[in-house]
Amino acid sequence: AAIFSIVLSNNTWVPLSQENPESRNLEILNQTNSTVVIYDEELPGVILAYFKEKNADILSLDKIVSSYKEEEFESNIFNKHDVAYIMFTSGSTGTPKGVPMTHENYINFVDNILAILPFGKSEVFSDFHDFTFDISIFYLFTCPLVQGAFSPVRGEKDKVIPIKHLVDNKITVWSSVPSVINRIKTFRPKDKIGTAIKIMFLCGEPLKFDVLRYCFDNMNMNHVYNFYGLTETGVENFYHRCTREDLIKYVKYGIAPIGKPLPGNVIKVMANKELYIGSCQVTSGYLGGRSKEKFEVIEGVRWYKTGDIVEKHEDVYFCKGRLDSQVKISGFRVELMDIEAHIAKQENVEQVVCFVKDHKGIKLLVAAIKPEGRFDFRELQARLKKELPSYMIPKEHLLLESFPLNNNGKVDRKRICADSPLINLGESIS
């Protein structure tokens, strides 16, 4: 209700999370110059001090609700170019980048979802992800428009393995990254999982066939949708309704296609197979004018350069990976250089390269480190917890005396990743 009130009253919503380190939340606040904070949990001291210094309005949601008197609400008619919300993505310098999204940017996505997905009456939407992850835009803005209900995941156990939550709360519309389903599969590989789910909205990571097959065979899903999109391009831009035939038709890929562009999205695939997206969903640019090189005007159309490699097969597209060092971890788009910037400034670290290893269907973030003197990986992790979200903290490490170089004299990232042993990664899982 607070989020809807912010958006409908012509203000801009900036989600913060208690899961983020205080330093990261402060970086976000400094970039947005926020003047009002509405909170439902006790504010950390540093954040509270920030708002007091700014003479901001500090409002308890509980107090607002308890003093509320019912009255007719008249929404101001907002301009489609007004900024509705600002999400933050990982930045290559160690500072998160703000992505302002206007009403026009996200409404096209919501309209498409309402037209494509077979919503019925009294749907119960899962509220599984943090609001700082833009998958939340899907259920935040579609649930009330179909007169549905939200079912927030509260306990830590349900966040890891949400089976009980799904069953007890009779979830009918589930949205998450595929790795959540993979965890259920790992926990109960042969069981039949009886739920009330009618629509499964998956995005943020490649949808591997073993997970898709589990959705069909073990969870008895009929409506599984694979979506692809970016924070900078209005949540989702491609979609594909998955079928059992996909498991045979696209067997050489081993993953579900991202499908076709959603209506209103125009795409261009460059000679190097990089995907460009141009539409009303593309942000006007990062806060502070950062990373302008990510946008380009070609023949009068403004494009966002995704950095993703795509390949067309008949009438659908597949995402084949990244051109640069960005990766997806638990659905979050992360720039490895961001993590490296934080590790490099720590004590006794001379050089660092981060990469992702796939181990039994789970993506593990690994740091290859050239130490300078005594080095303790657990101490490094403890320090990083004060600066980075948990999904950006490496789970495993390699200690190298020197880093291999490529023909251009640059650090050979691919070789470091390829030569890394898997035995230690298995130990970190257990």
Side-chain angles (χ1 to χ4, degrees), residues 275-382:
L275 173 66
Y276 282 24
I277 297 177
S279 72
C280 62
Q281 293 185 204
V282 176
T283 181
S284 59
Y286 296 108
L287 285 184
R290 297 173 62 188
S291 302
K292 291 182 179 180
E293 72 280 358
K294 294 291 290 182
F295 303 88
E296 184 175 353
V297 176
I298 303 175
E299 298 178 353
V301 178
R302 187 168 178 275
W303 300 91
Y304 176 71
K305 300 188 281 188
T306 69
D308 284 332
I309 301 169
V310 297
E311 181 177 296
K312 192 173 185 181
H313 177 92
E314 296 179 354
D315 61 342
V316 297
Y317 288 86
F318 284 82
C319 184
K320 303 285 288 181
R322 296 288 303 166
L323 285 173
D324 53 26
S325 62
Q326 277 192 357
V327 295
K328 281 286 188 75
I329 302 174
S330 299
F332 291 90
R333 187 174 292 280
V334 174
E335 288 193 12
L336 294 177
M337 289 177 64
D338 185 356
I339 304 169
E340 291 167 4
H342 282 273
I343 296 177
K345 67 182 183 183
Q346 304 298 330
E347 185 179 358
N348 292 335
V349 175
E350 181 178 329
Q351 201 170 11
V352 59
V353 165
C354 291
F355 57 92
V356 171
K357 272 285 189 180
D358 191 285
H359 181 73
K360 297 182 179 179
I362 299 173
K363 287 188 173 181
L364 289 179
L365 181 60
V366 184
I369 296 170
K370 182 181 178 182
E372 191 176 48
R374 190 189 71 83
F375 180 82
D376 188 308
F377 184 62
R378 293 188 183 277
E379 287 183 9
L380 173 66
Q381 288 182 311

Side-chain angles (χ1 to χ4, degrees), residues 165-194:
H165 176 80
L166 290 171
V167 175
D168 291 352
N169 294 282
K170 298 180 174 61
I171 305 297
T172 64
V173 181
W174 172 259
S175 55
S176 77
V177 294
S179 58
V180 177
I181 308 301
N182 188 62
R183 289 202 296 269
I184 295 175
K185 172 179 170 290
T186 302
F187 183 62
R188 292 174 58 176
K190 297 181 180 179
D191 294 354
K192 299 292 183 181
I193 311 296

Side-chain angles (χ1 to χ4, degrees), residues 14-16 20-34 46-47 50-51 54 86-98 287 290 338 341-342 345 386-389 392:
V14 181
L16 294 179
N20 279 345
E22 291 181 2
S23 60
R24 200 165 187 86
N25 280 333
L26 281 175
E27 288 173 349
I28 290 172
L29 291 172
N30 282 322
Q31 289 189 51
T32 58
N33 197 28
S34 302
V46 173
I47 303 301
Y50 170 89
F51 281 110
K54 296 287 185 179
I86 303 175
M87 295 281 179
F88 279 79
T89 66
S90 175
S92 59
T93 62
T95 303
K97 291 190 291 188
L287 285 184
R290 297 173 62 188
D338 185 356
H342 282 273
K345 67 182 183 183
K386 298 178 181 179
E387 302 176 8
L388 297 172
M392 292 177 67

